[in-house]
Amino acid sequence: MFSKVLIANRGEIALRIVRACSELGVRSVAVYSDADARAPHVREANEAVHIGGSAASESYLRGDAIIDVARRTGAQAIHPGYGFLAEREWFARAVVDAGLVFVGPPASAIAAMGSKTAARTLALSAGVPVVPGTAEPLGDAGEAAAIAARFGYPVLLKAAAGGGGKGMRLVHEESELSAALESARRESRNAFGDDAVYVEKYIEGPRHVEIQVLGDSHGNMLHLGERECSIQRRHQKMIEEAPSIAVSPQLRESMGATAVRAARSAGYMNAGTCEFLLDRDGSFYFLEMNTRLQVEHPVTELVTGIDIVQWQLRIAAGEPLPFIQNQLSPNGHAIECRITSEDAFNNFLPSTGRVTYLRLPGGPGVRWDGGIGIGSEIGLHYDPMLAKLIVWAPTREAAISRMHRALLELTVEGVETSRDFHLRVMEDEEFRRGEIDIQWLERRIVSLTSVAPPPEGVRAAAIAAVLLADRNRDERRIPPGHAPGHAGGDAWLLAARRGGLRDGCPP
Ligand code: ADP
């Protein structure tokens, strides 16, 4: 195992990797921007080195500076996390060229899966079913119209270099095609410096189901089952679960084997994810492979008991996987809610500010992967995801109840968060029955966010009551969770914790 690893990332994922290193007895080196000087990942790592300005282009995207820090601090490997440099082929190559280990797949596998069109071509040649569509970038609108007519509307235009839902346009009929193509190209050019766009048949009402794979340098490649990621807004995941209620053991075996085949065809190694659309009739189509750790990896960790980040490090250090496929069936149910600094009741407007109060949920089966603390400044430089709240329980029903309870315990003050939105989803009957698909949230979002949280006054008074109770408790040195009044029916406490943030009036 390495003695020291540099983490080329920030926020919750940097802290997640610091923790994995710590448990493996590996020293961690954090890097940070101006804005992150006092961030939790900086405090928790064994060493931290400033690399530049707050804009990602001046810090977390400066591959050369990061490699230089690794050399100077004596780190033997670099873990890129997700986002930033994680899927940049040139970075993976530069790390290796500098005599260091890249904790991820070989650069050639990133390249093979890097463009959606190249990945589709590769998948097809490996016998992996893909969504009907082209594998070649589109020419002009005339060509696009001819191809779209062949597959039938609606179709989806997608950026070959796409990610995060960017450069994607749904087209219902031919009259919309030309403008949609132009705007997809523009968005892709701005986001990725590449305007290649191709077309896929738009599948109505499928689920997004993805398979986690793990491959070592000794030729072993396994899958860790699926994650259900259908709760999406604007093609961005908001809630993930494992397992999916739509996936039987037979389907898991078949999708898993397909994902392993796709990964092998790219010469893959380390942790990766094959994303699929699962149609109502049980057929599934490969969408793309994410050649990195996913945001939602914890739900898989909780149902398999496998620490994916630790295994990324072990694999990078040359260890063989000790498991065999039939040991890996999911146990119980896990759910993750992405806690973002967005005001769900105001069209998910990004919210900025300083975290003035933070009360974290706890108790059985609750995991908090966060990157914020009291005093954290939430700006607009980085992704709005502040943390992930993840729960495990023996059944899906129990996991939903547990998530609801944990969300009620969570209090973040100073910045708006998506907490109340997640509470609404956990309370929704259709969601509870598992009747979801990738368009579910778009259909339900208006009703889910129609009743605004309570007015500031009620909220502020309720929060003041919680703060006061906490201070009293601290003064009396009573351990958290044991404050008298927590279960004692104090109306204001309950208002802050529950109804006050939900219904607008104390119970
Ligand atoms: P990105 O890499 O930009 O996230 P993906 O190809 O992974 O793009 O797709 C993101 C989401 O968009 C999917 O999870 C799914 O909800 C939706 N989507 C993608 N392709 C299709 C399709 N052909 N039909 C219907 N929905 C799709």
Side-chain angles (χ1 to χ4, degrees):
M1 183 41 71
F2 312 110
S3 57
K4 198 187 268 191
V5 170
L6 182 143
I7 300 157
N9 217 298
R10 64 176 302 281
E12 69 86 19
I13 199 61
L15 200 52
R16 167 74 188 90
I17 301 163
V18 167
R19 286 173 168 149
C21 287
S22 169
E23 289 176 21
L24 289 171
V26 175
R27 285 180 68 79
S28 52
V29 182
V31 291
Y32 64 95
S33 66
D34 288 347
D36 280 340
R38 283 187 293 277
H41 80 276
V42 175
R43 281 202 307 270
E44 298 298 325
N46 296 113
E47 295 169 46
V49 180
H50 177 250
I51 45 165
S54 301
S57 59
E58 294 171 17
S59 48
Y60 300 107
L61 289 173
R62 290 183 58 206
D64 291 353
I66 290 170
I67 290 171
D68 190 49
V69 172
R71 279 216 194 89
R72 281 191 282 126
T73 54
Q76 297 123 349
I78 297 184
H79 194 310
Y82 53 69
F84 297 125
L85 297 167
E87 289 175 288
R88 309 281 170 112
E89 178 199 355
W90 64 264
F91 182 65
R93 217 176 280 287
V95 170
V96 173
D97 289 348
L100 304 166
V101 176
F102 181 74
V103 183
S108 56
I110 299 179
M113 290 294 186
S115 120
K116 288 185 199 287
T117 42
R120 281 168 68 80
T121 309
L122 192 66
L124 281 170
S125 67
V128 171
V130 300
V131 184
T134 57
E136 294 298 319
L138 289 170
D140 59 12
E143 187 198 340
I147 292 170
R150 201 163 83 229
F151 295 115
Y153 289 90
V155 295
L156 199 58
L157 300 179
K158 286 174 121 177
K166 290 209 177 73
M168 210 184 282
R169 293 289 180 280
L170 174 60
V171 184
H172 294 97
E173 53 186 72
E174 190 174 334
S175 63
E176 301 168 0
L177 190 64
S178 169
L181 182 60
E182 202 32 60
S183 85
R185 281 200 205 286
R186 200 177 326 114
E187 191 168 291
S188 178
R189 201 181 307 122
N190 290 340
F192 314 109
D194 172 13
D195 67 359
V197 168
Y198 72 102
V199 66
E200 273 180 17
K201 170 100 190 107
Y202 183 71
I203 313 270
E204 304 270 2
R207 291 168 181 259
H208 174 120
V209 174
E210 60 186 30
I211 303 281
Q212 174 75 55
V213 300
L214 210 49
D216 64 21
S217 56
H218 305 270
N220 302 305
M221 175 80 67
L222 300 167
H223 72 84
L224 305 187
E226 79 282 3
R227 292 185 285 261
E228 159 81 66
C229 309
S230 295
I231 305 293
Q232 302 182 354
R233 177 175 173 270
R234 300 194 173 158
H235 309 300
Q236 299 252 40
K237 300 163 190 166
M238 300 203 59
I239 298 173
E240 301 96 343
E241 314 178 33
S244 164
I245 63 163
V247 175
S248 65
Q250 292 77 8
L251 183 56
R252 179 171 306 124
E253 206 178 302
S254 154
M255 292 183 81
T258 305
V260 164
R261 205 158 64 238
R264 281 197 191 281
S265 74
Y268 206 81
M269 209 179 79
N270 212 287
T273 297
C274 290
E275 298 190 328
F276 296 94
L277 290 179
L278 174 61
D279 214 341
R280 291 176 192 169
D281 65 3
S283 35
F284 56 89
Y285 307 98
F286 173 82
L287 272 182
E288 63 169 346
M289 182 166 191
N290 290 133
T291 55
R292 54 165 163 85
L293 184 64
Q294 300 269 98
V295 170
E296 58 272 24
H297 75 275
V299 291
T300 302
E301 295 188 325
L302 293 183
V303 297
T304 59
I306 291 173
D307 188 310
I308 295 171
V309 181
Q310 284 194 17
W311 273 104
Q312 286 194 290
L313 292 161
R314 288 176 187 274
I315 289 167
E319 268 189 53
L321 289 169
F323 333 105
I324 53 167
Q325 191 62 61
N326 64 14
Q327 293 174 319
L328 299 173
S329 50
N331 172 36
H333 201 91
I335 304 179
E336 170 180 283
C337 288
R338 300 187 183 201
I339 308 298
T340 61
S341 52
E342 292 172 313
D343 184 356
F345 298 86
N346 193 3
N347 204 21
F348 286 83
L349 200 71
S351 171
T352 59
R354 188 165 163 270
V355 177
T356 51
Y357 181 69
L358 182 62
R359 181 190 186 83
L360 298 184
V366 175
R367 168 169 164 180
W368 173 261
D369 277 21
I372 54 164
I374 292 178
S376 290
E377 290 288 345
I378 311 303
L380 292 172
H381 289 295
Y382 312 113
D383 190 274
M385 198 182 77
L386 306 177
K388 292 147 9 186
L389 178 57
I390 314 116
V391 301
W392 180 92
T395 62
R396 183 173 188 269
E397 197 185 358
I400 292 173
S401 296
R402 183 162 277 173
M403 178 59 86
H404 192 263
R405 185 269 295 170
L407 285 163
L408 289 176
E409 288 180 12
L410 172 66
T411 310
V412 184
E413 279 311 310
V415 62
E416 293 295 336
T417 75
S418 54
R419 185 201 92 139
D420 292 5
F421 161 78
H422 288 300
L423 276 170
R424 298 268 157 88
V425 176
M426 295 303 133
E427 290 159 6
D428 187 276
E429 280 309 317
E430 270 177 17
F431 174 78
R432 296 175 79 94
R433 288 197 299 270
E435 291 167 7
I436 51 174
D437 59 52
I438 59 170
Q439 283 115 27
W440 181 82
L441 188 53
E442 302 290 351
R443 284 197 302 272
R444 295 302 308 271
I445 200 132
V446 173
S447 64
L448 286 169
T449 57
S450 60
V451 183
E456 264 322 297
V458 175
R459 205 176 149 99
I463 283 151
V466 173
L467 290 170
L468 194 64
D470 279 1
R471 203 177 62 199
N472 291 343
R473 186 197 63 216
D474 291 346
E475 281 165 5
R476 291 195 302 267
R477 294 181 178 283
I478 296 172
H482 291 82
H486 272 211
D490 179 317
W492 285 107
L493 268 176
L494 284 173
R497 208 160 280 127
R498 191 165 176 284
L501 296 178
R502 223 159 40 113
D503 321 309
C505 55

